[in-house]
Amino acid sequence: MAAELIRASLLSFSAPPAEGVAEAVQHTEDGVLAMRDGRIEFAASSAAFVAQGGPLDACEDLRPGIALPGFIDAHVHFPQVDIIGSFGTQLLDWLERYAFPAETAFADADFAAAQAERFMDLCFAHGTTSALVFTTVHAAATEALFRAALGRGARLIAGKVHADRNVPKELADSADAVAGCARLIERWHGAGRLSYAVTPRFAIASSPAQLSAAGALLQRYPEVLLHTHLSENAAEIALTRKLFPAARDYVDVYDCHGLVGERSVFAHGVHLTERELERLAERGATVVFCPSSNLFLGSGLLDVAKLQRHGVRLAVGSDVGAGTSLSMLKTLADGYRVGQLQGTSWHPLDAFHAITLGNAQALALGDRIGRLAPGYEADVVVLNARRNPALSRRLERVDTLQERLFAYMMLGDERDIERTYVGGRLAWRQAGAN
Ligand SMILES: [Zn+2]
C-alpha cells in the first residue's frame, strides 16, 4: 500500500517532560510523517526526509497544523453521550435521574448499534483515536461497540458493565454473569486492535460475590484490564463504607477481591487517604483524573501533585457524560483549572504528554500507541485553529511551543481537529479543510 505522507509541525513525547529526560519532547516545526500499512514509517524533519530521498512534493502540506499522536481518553461512557450537561445533581442522584435511564435504552440492540457507530464518529471528530470505555450491562451493546471499533480499525478497550445491586433491575446482572464474560473476552480481546476490560460499575453496585467473580475472571485472563470507579464523591464513599463494613477503606474493598493490580484503572480517586494512595502505588494501579466531570458534578478537586508524590500512576479521562465534552483539549483546560485552585499550574507539555503517551502507558499500550515514531501504530491528530477565531488570534501572539500548546489547551476544542488518522487511514477531516 502507498504511504500516506503529510507535512506539518510534529510533536510527540518519549517520556514525561517534567522528569527532565533528554529528548523527552520531540518537536519538529517543519516535519514529514509517513504512514504505511497502519504504522508510522517516518517521523522527522522535512530536511531529513529529503536527505534520504523522500519526495517532498508528494506530501500533503498541512502546515501550520500540528500533528500529534491521536488523543487517548482513559475513561468515558459510550451510552452517556446524549446526557452531557444534565442539570442540578451530584453523583448518586445524577446516576438515578439521568445515567440509568439513558443506559436502559441500550437493551435495544439496534439502538445500541447505531449509538456505537455514532460514538466512534464523535471520538474521531474530537481527535480521540483510542479510549477505555464503559458500555452498559448489555452484552449486545458491548459487542456493538467492539464491532463499530473493529470496522474502523480503532484501538479500543471496553467491557460489559457488571452490577447486581443498587441499580434499576433493567441494569442488573448477577455474580454468574461475570464468569459468562469469558465468552466476550475470547471473542473480542485481541480481535483487530481491541482489548477487553472487566468492568464492575463501582463497589456500591456489586455484591461481594460479584466482585469476587470479577477477581476470578482477572486471574483467568491476566492480560485484560480492570476498569471501575473509585472514591469520587463523599456520599458514594459513605455508602461504600456502609456496604463493606469489614473493609479498611474504599481501595481495600477492591483489594480484598483481587481487583487492585498494575492493570487496574480506577476513575476519579478524588478523596483517597494516605493509606489508599500508598496501596495503589505499591500495586502499580492507575487513577484517572477526570477534571471536567469532577467540576460538573461537584465531586471535588483531585490533588494530582499529591498522587504524584505518592508515586501513583495517573491517566486523564473525559468521563462523558458527567464530563461535559469528549474533547481532550477541553478536558486539559478543566485539569488546569483544578490545579490552579490548588496552587499548581499544569504545564502544557506535561498535559499533552498525559493525553498521548501517558495515557497509552497507563493502559498498557505504550509500546504501540501514543508516539509519532517509526513502528508505532499510525493514530494521528492534526490540529489547526483556523475555525476558532479566539484561538487563532491568540496564536498570533505566542512565541514558544509552550505558549502555543497552552493556547490550544485553554482555548481549543473540536473545531481545531483538522484531521484524524486511525491506523494510517484518514478517519475524520473538517468540512472545507484542504
Ligand atoms: Zn465514569
Side-chain angles (χ1 to χ4, degrees):
M1 206 165 102
E4 182 97 28
L5 297 169
I6 61 172
R7 187 173 180 185
S9 176
L10 307 184
L11 177 65
S12 176
F13 303 90
S14 64
E19 289 178 9
V21 179
E23 312 273 312
V25 182
Q26 293 156 347
H27 175 236
T28 309
E29 194 50 52
D30 179 4
V32 169
L33 189 69
M35 300 174 266
R36 191 195 297 272
D37 298 333
R39 290 186 186 271
I40 292 169
E41 188 176 62
F42 180 91
S45 69
S46 57
F49 186 67
V50 170
Q52 66 159 46
L56 203 55
D57 56 4
C59 299
E60 193 178 0
D61 195 347
L62 298 177
R63 291 176 300 168
I66 311 173
L68 290 128
F71 299 148
I72 301 166
D73 187 343
H75 179 67
V76 59
H77 297 251
F78 113 80
Q80 296 177 4
V81 289
D82 293 337
I83 57 161
I84 294 174
S86 294
F87 175 75
T89 51
Q90 299 212 342
L91 177 64
L92 298 179
D93 294 333
W94 178 86
L95 287 168
E96 293 282 348
R97 197 182 305 176
Y98 303 115
F100 292 159
E103 293 186 22
T104 301
F106 283 70
D108 178 337
D110 291 338
F111 173 75
Q115 288 292 97
E117 300 292 343
R118 188 164 159 263
F119 175 76
M120 293 308 301
D121 290 340
L122 283 170
C123 284
F124 297 164
H126 287 78
T128 296
T129 52
S130 280
L132 175 57
V133 188
F134 253 74
T135 63
T136 64
V137 74
H138 313 100
T142 306
E143 295 203 274
L145 181 66
F146 278 133
R147 212 169 284 119
L150 186 68
R152 288 163 169 76
R155 187 163 278 296
L156 194 91
I157 313 170
K160 187 190 109 62
V161 174
H162 298 294
D164 65 354
R165 61 175 172 174
N166 298 316
V167 293
K169 66 179 187 316
E170 298 82 8
L171 293 179
D173 61 359
S174 62
D176 290 344
V178 179
C181 275
R183 186 184 63 81
L184 291 177
I185 294 173
E186 283 170 16
R187 174 149 187 208
W188 296 105
H189 186 78
R193 300 169 70 202
L194 306 176
S195 317
Y196 197 86
V198 175
T199 310
R201 175 157 219 130
F202 61 165
I204 289 173
S206 286
S207 63
Q210 186 167 61
L211 293 180
S212 292
L217 195 62
L218 288 171
Q219 281 226 310
R220 183 170 163 198
Y221 296 99
E223 69 280 13
V224 308
L225 298 187
L226 179 281
H227 183 201
T228 190
H229 297 96
L230 170 67
S231 198
E232 176 176 358
N233 152 297
E236 170 220 12
I237 296 166
L239 182 52
T240 302
R241 298 303 305 268
K242 210 168 130 192
L243 291 167
F244 294 91
R248 285 203 272 185
D249 45 41
Y250 202 156
V251 166
D252 200 43
V253 171
Y254 292 136
D255 212 0
C256 290
H257 296 95
L259 301 176
V260 182
E262 59 182 25
R263 286 183 175 254
S264 302
V265 182
F266 297 108
H268 306 297
V270 176
H271 305 285
L272 295 167
T273 63
E274 297 283 324
R275 194 209 78 83
E276 290 177 297
L277 291 171
E278 279 164 26
R279 183 61 181 159
L280 291 173
E282 188 177 281
R283 298 289 295 155
T286 294
V287 167
V288 187
F289 179 30
C290 302
S292 170
S293 166
N294 296 159
L295 292 169
F296 180 73
L297 290 181
S299 299
L301 305 175
L302 180 70
D303 188 344
V304 170
K306 185 174 168 190
L307 266 67
Q308 286 170 329
R309 280 199 304 278
H310 279 85
V312 176
R313 294 170 67 186
L314 275 157
V316 183
S318 70
D319 193 27
V320 158
T324 50
S325 173
L326 286 169
S327 168
M328 294 309 287
L329 296 174
K330 289 177 116 173
T331 302
L332 294 183
D334 282 331
Y336 183 80
R337 295 181 179 106
V338 167
Q340 287 289 88
L341 285 165
Q342 300 173 95
T344 58
S345 305
W346 200 7
H347 194 290
L349 288 172
D350 292 317
F352 278 87
H353 167 269
I355 58 169
T356 56
L357 183 61
N359 273 357
Q361 289 172 333
L363 303 181
L365 294 168
D367 57 345
R368 299 179 184 191
I369 56 171
R371 287 186 65 188
L372 302 182
Y376 271 73
E377 295 171 0
D379 292 344
V380 179
V381 60
V382 181
L383 305 180
N384 186 311
R386 66 175 127 169
R387 284 161 218 82
N388 182 337
L391 176 54
S392 297
R393 292 180 69 92
R394 180 72 187 90
L395 288 172
E396 286 170 16
R397 293 169 178 271
V398 305
D399 296 317
T400 64
L401 174 65
Q402 172 184 333
E403 289 172 338
R404 192 167 157 202
L405 289 177
F406 188 59
Y408 270 100
M409 174 170 163
M410 297 313 299
L411 303 176
D413 57 41
E414 57 272 33
R415 287 172 296 173
D416 308 310
I417 307 301
E418 174 112 338
R419 296 283 181 97
T420 305
Y421 294 88
V422 173
R425 287 202 299 244
L426 187 61
W428 160 259
R429 66 186 293 172
Q430 279 286 356
N434 57 0

